[in-house]
Amino acid sequence: MKTLDQLMASVIASGQQDTPDSGDLDLLLYSPCPVKLAVKDRLDAIVLESEAAGDPLNIHIPMGCTSVDPFDPLYLETDPDRLPDIIASIGFGDFFRKGFAERFVNTGLFEAVLPESVHPLHKEAGIVDPEGRYTVYSLTPYIFMVDTTRLGDLPLPRRWEDLLHPRYRGQINMCGDGDDMADAALMCIYKEFGMEGVEKLAANAHGLMHSSHMGKSGGASKAGGIYILPYFFAETSQQPEHMRVIWPEDGTAASPIYFLAKRTARPRLDKLLDFFTRGFGQIQSARWFLPLGGPLPESLPAEARIKWVGWDFIRRHDVTAVRDELNSTFRRLVKETPCDS
């Protein structure tokens, strides 16, 4: 069996060079692709300022959305000194895994850092970690976009439960590309309706496609009438009248955009932490990802709610293993289901 160092080296050799040692990093950041360049620009400015002050920072932001990443095996690390001082990532991935959480998160290595005020939308949903370990500084909200011409006489879906009704057979386009999936949507369906709910959703699926194709004006050329996609892609494209954006009445299924900061990171790295708690929301395009402290998009529906799987669920389960099982099962079921549209 390969050691962690061997795994890291083999991944680096397969696609990337000049990768810093993880233990030397002040920040390792995985950012949502639509805002990655803007985020990098803001952080590069902080790095330059720190260098001028004689306290250089070492940060690493993998830039490819689907490229080989030398830090993929990092969650297997056993030495806390080999971890970056701040790890920022997306979704219910490796840094939520049971083993990583037991070694580092539950032992108090990390401490949450919150903005001066938390937006009421996030407070109501319970986004703040009650144990003060993970900082969910933003979210990927999944909503519905409907092509009324393809939906025909069928009623518009208003809640997540509606998508499980057989009348929508062959109508649902799920956000999914490569290994990625709308993990929060499947997780919320599973939590509320069990595996039977996931099976019903898969039975209604037309197929999977990348979010950027879903957000294309007028919808994709070959698709069903209902898209499950991130809010960003639904709202940042000009859509014709027959395309309707619907914020589910029971809330957007929210996937975490979060960071883990070592207690020892402060106060030296406070400027980096301030970016996550305050600066991220100052990026106009980042507001579609609902920053924890705001501001939020002006077009956000007044009645908008967040459907969050909840910290109790996260801590009762190996949530990454649950995510992986749901993704695998959903993909298999979609392949096995005849398309009726």
Side-chain angles (χ1 to χ4, degrees):
M1 181 176 179
K2 287 187 176 181
T3 66
L4 178 65
D5 286 340
Q6 289 172 327
L7 282 169
M8 297 277 280
S10 63
V11 176
I12 291 170
S14 68
Q16 295 192 11
Q17 304 296 327
D18 302 324
T19 301
D21 184 272
S22 58
D24 294 334
L25 286 175
D26 295 306
L27 168 65
L28 171 64
L29 169 63
Y30 299 95
S31 177
C33 283
V35 295
K36 187 175 290 188
L37 290 176
V39 165
K40 186 178 185 302
D41 286 346
R42 297 293 182 102
L43 289 172
D44 283 347
I46 295 173
V47 169
L48 287 173
E49 182 182 332
S50 297
E51 287 178 353
D55 186 17
L57 297 174
N58 190 7
I59 71 173
H60 184 69
I61 307 173
M63 293 308 294
C65 289
T66 58
S67 62
V68 173
D69 178 12
F71 294 103
D72 276 347
L74 185 62
Y75 73 96
L76 297 170
E77 184 59 73
T78 57
D79 182 356
D81 293 334
R82 295 287 304 277
L83 296 178
D85 287 330
I86 305 171
I87 301 170
S89 194
I90 309 165
F92 295 105
D94 289 334
F95 303 115
F96 277 98
R97 287 193 184 277
K98 182 180 180 181
F100 183 88
E102 288 177 344
R103 288 193 301 276
F104 302 122
V105 181
N106 300 344
T107 56
L109 180 66
F110 304 109
E111 183 177 42
V113 182
L114 300 177
E116 291 182 2
S117 62
V118 175
H119 195 280
L121 188 67
H122 299 74
K123 280 185 178 179
E124 181 185 357
I127 299 300
V128 175
D129 180 1
E131 295 186 3
R133 293 163 181 172
Y134 292 91
T135 307
V136 178
Y137 69 94
S138 194
L139 301 165
T140 299
Y142 291 94
I143 62 169
F144 310 152
M145 186 169 71
V146 176
D147 183 336
T148 58
T149 59
R150 287 192 175 139
L151 206 59
D153 295 332
L154 292 175
L156 297 177
R158 296 294 181 183
R159 303 173 64 86
W160 289 95
E161 184 177 10
D162 294 344
L163 301 184
L164 311 185
H165 196 286
R167 64 172 167 250
Y168 294 121
R169 185 63 55 92
Q171 286 284 358
I172 296 174
N173 312 292
M174 171 64 90
C175 164
D177 178 55
D179 293 331
D180 294 328
M181 180 84 71
D183 56 358
L186 290 181
M187 200 84 70
C188 288
I189 292 288
Y190 174 73
K191 179 186 177 184
E192 193 166 351
F193 306 104
M195 191 57 77
E196 181 182 357
V198 175
E199 292 169 356
K200 288 181 178 179
L201 183 68
N204 289 343
H206 181 280
L208 293 89
M209 65 179 68
H210 193 279
S211 303
S212 60
H213 295 159
M214 291 184 168
K216 187 178 178 182
S217 181
S221 58
K222 295 181 180 180
I226 302 170
Y227 300 82
I228 298 174
L229 77 168
Y231 187 41
F232 176 92
F233 290 101
E235 288 286 356
T236 56
S237 56
Q238 190 73 31
Q239 297 292 343
E241 290 186 2
H242 68 271
M243 301 297 290
R244 296 277 300 277
V245 174
I246 299 174
W247 192 282
E249 292 176 355
D250 50 339
T252 172
S255 184
I257 303 174
Y258 66 97
F259 66 82
L260 288 161
K262 289 182 179 178
R263 293 176 181 272
T264 55
R266 310 193 71 180
R268 178 174 172 259
L269 301 183
D270 278 355
K271 288 184 178 180
L272 291 176
L273 295 169
D274 182 66
F275 166 78
F276 291 111
T277 59
R278 186 175 60 87
F280 184 77
Q282 294 174 354
I283 299 173
Q284 188 72 30
S285 57
R287 296 178 186 179
W288 305 109
F289 294 94
L290 309 186
L292 184 65
L296 304 186
E298 294 180 1
S299 62
L300 192 73
E303 68 280 4
R305 296 169 59 197
I306 294 172
K307 182 185 281 287
W308 171 241
V309 72
W311 291 103
D312 287 343
F313 181 91
I314 290 169
R315 293 199 160 101
R316 284 200 315 268
H317 301 81
D318 185 343
V319 72
T320 308
V322 173
R323 179 205 68 168
D324 292 346
E325 180 183 358
L326 293 177
N327 287 0
S328 175
T329 299
F330 187 83
R331 287 180 184 277
R332 175 178 57 79
L333 292 173
V334 170
K335 286 182 180 179
E336 295 174 355
T337 302
C339 180
D340 293 343
S341 66

